[in-house]
Protein backbone atom coordinates (compact mmCIF):
# COMPACT_ATOMS: atom_id res chain seq x y z
CA UNK A 1 0.00 0.00 0.00
CA UNK A 2 2.96 2.27 -0.37
CA UNK A 3 2.94 5.13 -2.85
CA UNK A 4 5.16 5.41 -5.90
CA UNK A 5 8.74 6.56 -5.62
CA UNK A 6 8.03 9.91 -7.24
CA UNK A 7 5.26 12.48 -7.07
CA UNK A 8 3.78 14.15 -10.11
CA UNK A 9 2.18 16.76 -7.86
CA UNK A 10 5.16 19.14 -8.07
CA UNK A 11 6.84 17.71 -5.01
CA UNK A 12 3.80 18.13 -2.74
CA UNK A 13 2.72 15.19 -0.52
CA UNK A 14 0.97 12.92 -2.98
CA UNK A 15 -1.77 11.36 -0.85
CA UNK A 16 -2.70 14.66 0.76
CA UNK A 17 -2.81 16.41 -2.60
CA UNK A 18 -4.92 13.66 -4.14
CA UNK A 19 -7.39 13.82 -1.22
CA UNK A 20 -7.58 17.63 -1.49
CA UNK A 21 -8.28 17.51 -5.25
CA UNK A 22 -10.84 14.80 -4.64
CA UNK A 23 -12.70 16.98 -2.11
CA UNK A 24 -12.74 19.95 -4.50
CA UNK A 25 -14.08 17.85 -7.37
CA UNK A 26 -16.70 16.24 -5.11
CA UNK A 27 -17.89 19.71 -4.06
CA UNK A 28 -18.18 20.70 -7.73
CA UNK A 29 -20.23 17.59 -8.51
CA UNK A 30 -22.59 18.42 -5.64
CA UNK A 31 -22.95 22.03 -6.81
CA UNK A 32 -23.72 20.92 -10.36
CA UNK A 33 -26.51 18.63 -9.21
CA UNK A 34 -28.58 21.62 -8.12
CA UNK A 35 -31.33 22.63 -10.56
CA UNK A 36 -30.75 19.48 -12.62
CA UNK A 37 -33.20 20.34 -15.38
CA UNK A 38 -32.50 24.06 -15.62
CA UNK A 39 -30.21 25.48 -18.27
CA UNK A 40 -26.79 25.84 -16.62
CA UNK A 41 -25.47 29.31 -16.01
CA UNK A 42 -22.12 30.50 -17.34
CA UNK A 43 -20.72 30.02 -13.83
CA UNK A 44 -21.87 26.40 -13.74
CA UNK A 45 -20.26 25.74 -17.11
CA UNK A 46 -17.01 27.20 -15.82
CA UNK A 47 -17.22 25.01 -12.72
CA UNK A 48 -17.86 21.93 -14.87
CA UNK A 49 -14.98 22.72 -17.22
CA UNK A 50 -12.50 23.58 -14.48
CA UNK A 51 -13.41 20.67 -12.19
CA UNK A 52 -13.59 18.27 -15.15
CA UNK A 53 -10.09 19.27 -16.20
CA UNK A 54 -8.74 18.90 -12.67
CA UNK A 55 -10.41 15.53 -12.28
CA UNK A 56 -8.98 14.30 -15.57
CA UNK A 57 -5.49 15.43 -14.65
CA UNK A 58 -5.25 14.41 -11.00
CA UNK A 59 -7.83 11.72 -10.19
CA UNK A 60 -7.72 8.08 -11.17
CA UNK A 61 -10.25 7.31 -13.94
CA UNK A 62 -11.94 4.62 -11.79
CA UNK A 63 -12.37 6.87 -8.77
CA UNK A 64 -16.11 7.22 -8.16
CA UNK A 65 -15.70 10.98 -7.76
CA UNK A 66 -14.02 11.14 -11.18
CA UNK A 67 -16.87 9.07 -12.64
CA UNK A 68 -19.39 11.43 -11.05
CA UNK A 69 -17.52 14.42 -12.50
CA UNK A 70 -17.56 12.95 -16.01
CA UNK A 71 -21.29 12.39 -15.68
CA UNK A 72 -21.93 15.90 -14.38
CA UNK A 73 -19.83 17.41 -17.17
CA UNK A 74 -21.75 15.55 -19.88
CA UNK A 75 -25.06 16.60 -18.36
CA UNK A 76 -24.08 20.27 -18.04
CA UNK A 77 -22.86 20.38 -21.64
CA UNK A 78 -26.05 18.67 -22.85
CA UNK A 79 -28.31 21.12 -21.02
CA UNK A 80 -26.17 23.96 -22.41
CA UNK A 81 -26.54 22.70 -25.98
CA UNK A 82 -22.80 21.97 -26.35
CA UNK A 83 -23.39 18.83 -28.39
CA UNK A 84 -19.85 18.53 -29.73
CA UNK A 85 -18.51 18.25 -26.21
CA UNK A 86 -21.23 15.76 -25.31
CA UNK A 87 -20.35 13.70 -28.37
CA UNK A 88 -16.67 13.66 -27.43
CA UNK A 89 -17.14 12.73 -23.75
CA UNK A 90 -20.30 10.62 -23.62
CA UNK A 91 -18.88 7.32 -24.89
CA UNK A 92 -15.79 7.24 -22.64
CA UNK A 93 -17.93 8.30 -19.67
CA UNK A 94 -20.38 5.44 -20.30
CA UNK A 95 -17.56 2.90 -20.54
CA UNK A 96 -15.74 4.06 -17.39
CA UNK A 97 -18.97 4.23 -15.37
CA UNK A 98 -19.84 0.69 -16.43
CA UNK A 99 -16.39 -0.62 -15.57
CA UNK A 100 -16.14 1.20 -12.24
CA UNK A 101 -19.65 1.14 -10.81
CA UNK A 102 -21.71 -1.23 -12.97
CA UNK A 103 -24.43 -0.87 -15.59
CA UNK A 104 -27.17 -0.20 -13.04
CA UNK A 105 -25.42 2.57 -11.12
CA UNK A 106 -26.87 6.08 -11.03
CA UNK A 107 -24.15 7.46 -13.30
CA UNK A 108 -24.72 4.81 -15.98
CA UNK A 109 -28.45 5.49 -15.97
CA UNK A 110 -27.91 9.25 -16.19
CA UNK A 111 -25.49 8.88 -19.08
CA UNK A 112 -27.87 6.62 -21.02
CA UNK A 113 -30.60 9.20 -20.47
CA UNK A 114 -28.24 11.93 -21.72
CA UNK A 115 -27.62 9.95 -24.90
CA UNK A 116 -31.33 9.49 -25.51
CA UNK A 117 -32.10 13.15 -24.86
CA UNK A 118 -29.23 14.32 -27.09
CA UNK A 119 -30.53 12.17 -29.96
CA UNK A 120 -33.99 13.67 -29.59
CA UNK A 121 -32.73 17.26 -29.43
CA UNK A 122 -30.40 17.10 -32.45
CA UNK A 123 -32.71 14.99 -34.63
CA UNK A 124 -34.25 17.95 -36.53
CA UNK A 125 -30.86 19.24 -37.65
CA UNK A 126 -29.48 15.83 -38.67
CA UNK A 127 -32.45 13.89 -40.07
CA UNK A 128 -32.10 15.28 -43.59
CA UNK A 129 -28.35 14.54 -43.74
CA UNK A 130 -28.90 11.02 -42.41
CA UNK A 131 -31.58 10.35 -45.01
CA UNK A 132 -29.32 11.60 -47.79
CA UNK A 133 -26.45 9.39 -46.57
CA UNK A 134 -28.77 6.39 -46.43
CA UNK A 135 -29.86 7.07 -49.99
CA UNK A 136 -26.26 7.30 -51.20
CA UNK A 137 -25.46 3.98 -49.54
CA UNK A 138 -28.42 2.31 -51.26
CA UNK A 139 -27.29 3.72 -54.61
CA UNK A 140 -23.71 2.50 -54.09
CA UNK A 141 -24.91 -0.98 -53.18
CA UNK A 142 -27.15 -1.16 -56.25
CA UNK A 143 -24.46 0.19 -58.55
CA UNK A 144 -21.15 -1.28 -57.42
CA UNK A 145 -22.34 -4.00 -55.04
CA UNK A 146 -22.79 -4.32 -51.25
CA UNK A 147 -19.13 -5.12 -50.50
CA UNK A 148 -17.59 -2.71 -53.01
CA UNK A 149 -15.20 0.05 -52.08
CA UNK A 150 -17.87 2.60 -53.03
CA UNK A 151 -20.45 0.97 -50.75
CA UNK A 152 -18.02 0.85 -47.82
CA UNK A 153 -17.15 4.51 -48.30
CA UNK A 154 -20.86 5.36 -48.29
CA UNK A 155 -21.36 3.19 -45.18
CA UNK A 156 -18.51 4.97 -43.46
CA UNK A 157 -20.11 8.35 -44.18
CA UNK A 158 -23.48 7.16 -42.96
CA UNK A 159 -21.87 5.88 -39.75
CA UNK A 160 -20.36 9.33 -39.19
CA UNK A 161 -23.81 10.89 -39.67
CA UNK A 162 -25.31 8.46 -37.17
CA UNK A 163 -22.63 9.39 -34.67
CA UNK A 164 -23.29 13.11 -35.05
CA UNK A 165 -26.99 12.44 -34.53
CA UNK A 166 -26.29 10.35 -31.39
CA UNK A 167 -27.86 7.35 -33.13
CA UNK A 168 -25.11 5.16 -31.76
CA UNK A 169 -26.94 1.86 -31.87
CA UNK A 170 -27.76 2.47 -35.53
CA UNK A 171 -24.08 3.21 -36.14
CA UNK A 172 -23.00 -0.04 -34.48
CA UNK A 173 -25.59 -2.08 -36.40
CA UNK A 174 -24.45 -0.50 -39.67
CA UNK A 175 -20.83 -1.47 -39.05
CA UNK A 176 -21.79 -5.03 -38.15
CA UNK A 177 -24.13 -5.41 -41.13
CA UNK A 178 -21.55 -4.04 -43.55
CA UNK A 179 -18.84 -6.34 -42.19
CA UNK A 180 -21.17 -9.36 -42.42
CA UNK A 181 -21.93 -8.57 -46.08
CA UNK A 182 -18.24 -8.10 -46.84
CA UNK A 183 -17.34 -11.40 -45.21
CA UNK A 184 -20.07 -13.21 -47.13
CA UNK A 185 -19.02 -11.77 -50.50
CA UNK A 186 -15.26 -11.29 -50.14
CA UNK A 187 -14.34 -13.92 -47.58
CA UNK A 188 -13.31 -13.82 -43.93
CA UNK A 189 -9.67 -13.11 -44.64
CA UNK A 190 -10.15 -10.26 -47.10
CA UNK A 191 -8.33 -7.11 -45.89
CA UNK A 192 -11.31 -4.92 -46.78
CA UNK A 193 -13.58 -6.92 -44.46
CA UNK A 194 -11.06 -7.06 -41.63
CA UNK A 195 -10.02 -3.42 -41.98
CA UNK A 196 -13.59 -2.15 -41.91
CA UNK A 197 -14.25 -4.31 -38.83
CA UNK A 198 -11.27 -2.75 -37.05
CA UNK A 199 -12.45 0.74 -37.94
CA UNK A 200 -15.94 -0.07 -36.67
CA UNK A 201 -14.59 -1.66 -33.48
CA UNK A 202 -12.78 1.51 -32.43
CA UNK A 203 -15.70 3.74 -33.46
CA UNK A 204 -18.07 1.65 -31.33
CA UNK A 205 -15.64 1.55 -28.41
CA UNK A 206 -15.30 5.35 -28.48
CA UNK A 207 -19.08 5.78 -28.31
CA UNK A 208 -19.78 3.23 -25.58
CA UNK A 209 -21.23 0.53 -27.86
CA UNK A 210 -18.88 -2.00 -26.32
CA UNK A 211 -20.75 -5.20 -27.23
CA UNK A 212 -20.61 -4.43 -30.95
CA UNK A 213 -17.03 -3.19 -30.55
CA UNK A 214 -15.95 -6.52 -29.07
CA UNK A 215 -17.69 -8.58 -31.77
CA UNK A 216 -16.10 -6.53 -34.53
CA UNK A 217 -12.66 -6.61 -32.98
CA UNK A 218 -12.77 -10.34 -32.28
CA UNK A 219 -13.38 -11.00 -35.98
CA UNK A 220 -10.48 -8.70 -36.92
CA UNK A 221 -8.32 -10.32 -34.23
CA UNK A 222 -9.00 -13.84 -35.48
CA UNK A 223 -8.15 -12.83 -39.04
CA UNK A 224 -4.94 -11.04 -38.12
CA UNK A 225 -3.89 -13.70 -35.61
CA UNK A 226 -4.20 -16.37 -38.30
CA UNK A 227 -2.13 -14.27 -40.69
CA UNK A 228 0.57 -13.69 -38.09
CA UNK A 229 0.59 -17.39 -37.15
CA UNK A 230 1.23 -18.29 -40.79
CA UNK A 231 4.01 -15.72 -41.00
CA UNK A 232 5.62 -17.11 -37.85
CA UNK A 233 5.40 -20.65 -39.21
CA UNK A 234 7.40 -19.47 -42.24
CA UNK A 235 9.75 -17.22 -40.24
CA UNK A 236 9.86 -18.48 -36.63
CA UNK A 237 12.44 -15.90 -35.62
CA UNK A 238 10.45 -12.86 -36.74
CA UNK A 239 10.41 -10.59 -33.69
CA UNK A 240 8.37 -7.97 -35.57
CA UNK A 241 5.56 -10.47 -36.18
CA UNK A 242 5.57 -11.53 -32.53
CA UNK A 243 5.49 -7.90 -31.43
CA UNK A 244 2.55 -7.20 -33.72
CA UNK A 245 0.76 -10.24 -32.32
CA UNK A 246 1.42 -9.09 -28.77
CA UNK A 247 -0.07 -5.67 -29.59
CA UNK A 248 -3.18 -7.46 -30.84
CA UNK A 249 -3.39 -9.36 -27.55
CA UNK A 250 -3.19 -6.11 -25.60
CA UNK A 251 -5.94 -4.52 -27.71
CA UNK A 252 -8.14 -7.59 -27.22
CA UNK A 253 -7.65 -7.26 -23.46
CA UNK A 254 -8.91 -3.68 -23.59
CA UNK A 255 -11.99 -4.60 -25.64
CA UNK A 256 -12.82 -7.52 -23.35
CA UNK A 257 -12.48 -5.33 -20.29
CA UNK A 258 -14.63 -2.56 -21.78
CA UNK A 259 -17.44 -5.04 -22.37
CA UNK A 260 -17.09 -6.48 -18.86
CA UNK A 261 -15.70 -9.88 -19.87
CA UNK A 262 -13.26 -9.62 -17.01
CA UNK A 263 -12.14 -13.25 -16.65
CA UNK A 264 -11.13 -13.49 -20.30
CA UNK A 265 -9.47 -10.09 -20.14
CA UNK A 266 -7.38 -11.14 -17.13
CA UNK A 267 -6.30 -14.38 -18.80
CA UNK A 268 -5.31 -12.44 -21.91
CA UNK A 269 -3.30 -9.90 -19.91
CA UNK A 270 -1.45 -12.62 -18.02
CA UNK A 271 -0.76 -14.46 -21.27
CA UNK A 272 0.74 -11.29 -22.68
CA UNK A 273 2.92 -10.71 -19.61
CA UNK A 274 4.28 -14.26 -19.91
CA UNK A 275 5.28 -13.50 -23.49
CA UNK A 276 7.12 -10.24 -22.77
CA UNK A 277 10.30 -11.80 -21.24
CA UNK A 278 10.66 -14.03 -24.30
CA UNK A 279 10.40 -11.03 -26.61
CA UNK A 280 12.89 -9.06 -24.51
CA UNK A 281 15.39 -11.92 -24.86
CA UNK A 282 14.94 -12.02 -28.63
CA UNK A 283 14.63 -8.32 -29.47
CA UNK A 284 17.54 -6.19 -30.46
CA UNK A 285 18.31 -2.71 -29.22
CA UNK A 286 16.54 0.36 -30.49
CA UNK A 287 12.99 0.59 -31.75
CA UNK A 288 11.97 -2.97 -30.85
CA UNK A 289 13.04 -2.51 -27.23
CA UNK A 290 11.15 0.78 -27.05
CA UNK A 291 7.99 -0.96 -28.28
CA UNK A 292 8.50 -3.70 -25.73
CA UNK A 293 8.88 -1.18 -22.91
CA UNK A 294 5.55 0.42 -23.84
CA UNK A 295 3.91 -2.96 -24.26
CA UNK A 296 5.05 -4.15 -20.85
CA UNK A 297 3.80 -1.20 -18.80
CA UNK A 298 0.50 -1.13 -20.71
CA UNK A 299 0.02 -4.85 -20.06
CA UNK A 300 0.64 -4.41 -16.33
CA UNK A 301 -1.83 -1.52 -16.25
CA UNK A 302 -4.44 -3.58 -18.15
CA UNK A 303 -4.00 -6.42 -15.65
CA UNK A 304 -4.51 -3.93 -12.84
CA UNK A 305 -7.77 -2.81 -14.44
CA UNK A 306 -8.91 -6.44 -14.69
CA UNK A 307 -8.15 -7.05 -11.02
CA UNK A 308 -9.77 -3.77 -9.94
CA UNK A 309 -12.93 -4.74 -11.83
CA UNK A 310 -13.09 -7.79 -9.55
CA UNK A 311 -12.43 -5.70 -6.41
CA UNK A 312 -9.04 -7.38 -5.94
CA UNK A 313 -7.54 -4.08 -4.88
CA UNK A 314 -4.27 -5.23 -3.23
CA UNK A 315 -3.34 -7.21 -6.36
CA UNK A 316 -4.53 -4.38 -8.60
CA UNK A 317 -2.38 -1.93 -6.64
CA UNK A 318 0.69 -4.10 -7.23
CA UNK A 319 0.01 -4.24 -10.98
CA UNK A 320 -0.58 -0.50 -11.22
CA UNK A 321 2.60 0.18 -9.27
CA UNK A 322 4.60 -2.11 -11.54
CA UNK A 323 3.17 -0.35 -14.60
CA UNK A 324 4.25 3.00 -13.18
CA UNK A 325 7.72 1.76 -12.31
CA UNK A 326 8.21 0.51 -15.88
CA UNK A 327 7.90 4.09 -17.09
CA UNK A 328 10.83 6.45 -17.23
CA UNK A 329 9.90 8.93 -14.43
CA UNK A 330 12.18 11.56 -15.91
CA UNK A 331 10.20 11.64 -19.14
CA UNK A 332 7.77 14.47 -18.39
CA UNK A 333 6.37 14.20 -21.90
CA UNK A 334 4.88 10.77 -21.21
CA UNK A 335 1.13 11.43 -20.88
CA UNK A 336 0.61 8.17 -18.99
CA UNK A 337 2.75 9.18 -16.01
CA UNK A 338 0.03 11.11 -14.14
CA UNK A 339 -2.64 8.56 -15.02
CA UNK A 340 -0.55 5.69 -13.71
CA UNK A 341 0.57 7.62 -10.63
CA UNK A 342 -2.93 8.66 -9.55
CA UNK A 343 -4.24 5.13 -10.15
CA UNK A 344 -1.53 3.76 -7.86
CA UNK A 345 -2.62 6.21 -5.16
CA UNK A 346 -6.29 5.42 -5.59
CA UNK A 347 -5.87 1.63 -5.65
CA UNK A 348 -3.52 1.72 -2.65
CA UNK A 349 -6.20 3.33 -0.48
CA UNK A 350 -9.36 2.09 -2.19
CA UNK A 351 -10.24 -0.57 0.38
CA UNK A 352 -9.33 1.52 3.45
CA UNK A 353 -9.82 5.28 3.38
CA UNK A 354 -12.17 5.72 0.42
Amino acid sequence: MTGPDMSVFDGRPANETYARVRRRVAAAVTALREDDDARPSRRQRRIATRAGSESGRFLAPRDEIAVGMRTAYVRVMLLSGRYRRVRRHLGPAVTVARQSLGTDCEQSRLLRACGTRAAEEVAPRHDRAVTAAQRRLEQAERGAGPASQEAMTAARRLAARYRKAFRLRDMAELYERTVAEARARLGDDHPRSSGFALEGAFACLATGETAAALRLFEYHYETEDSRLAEELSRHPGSVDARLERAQMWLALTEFLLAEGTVDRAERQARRLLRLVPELVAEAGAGEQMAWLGELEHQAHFALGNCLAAQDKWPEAHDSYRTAYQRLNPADARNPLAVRYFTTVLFSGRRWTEY
Side-chain angles (χ1 to χ4, degrees), residues 152-197:
M152 286 192 168
T153 299
R156 186 177 293 111
R157 290 171 178 166
L158 176 57
R161 289 296 181 184
Y162 280 146
R163 184 171 184 175
K164 286 186 176 181
F166 292 95
R167 294 173 57 174
L168 305 179
R169 187 60 53 82
D170 289 336
M171 182 197 73
E173 291 175 355
L174 173 64
Y175 273 115
E176 291 197 276
R177 184 172 66 253
T178 304
V179 168
E181 291 172 347
R183 293 176 67 180
R185 292 173 179 270
L186 303 175
D188 285 341
D189 57 350
H190 196 283
R192 193 184 302 163
S193 308
S194 178
F196 197 80

Side-chain angles (χ1 to χ4, degrees), residues 247-302:
Q247 290 284 0
M248 293 287 294
W249 290 2
L250 178 62
L252 179 59
T253 302
E254 298 293 343
F255 278 91
L256 289 167
L257 186 60
E259 175 51 16
T261 316
V262 180
D263 290 342
R264 282 185 62 196
E266 182 181 348
R267 289 196 299 271
Q268 192 71 23
R270 293 189 185 279
R271 179 188 182 194
L272 177 57
L273 285 171
R274 287 193 298 269
L275 176 65
V276 168
E278 300 177 19
L279 294 175
V280 169
E282 297 173 7
E287 189 175 349
Q288 287 183 340
M289 287 303 295
W291 287 352
L292 274 171
E294 293 183 12
L295 181 69
E296 185 179 20
H297 67 67
Q298 290 175 17
H300 279 291
F301 193 80

Side-chain angles (χ1 to χ4, degrees), residues 175 179 192-202 213 216-217 219-220:
Y175 273 115
V179 168
R192 193 184 302 163
S193 308
S194 178
F196 197 80
L198 180 64
E199 178 184 330
F202 279 103
L216 289 164
F217 187 79
Y219 155 60
H220 173 79

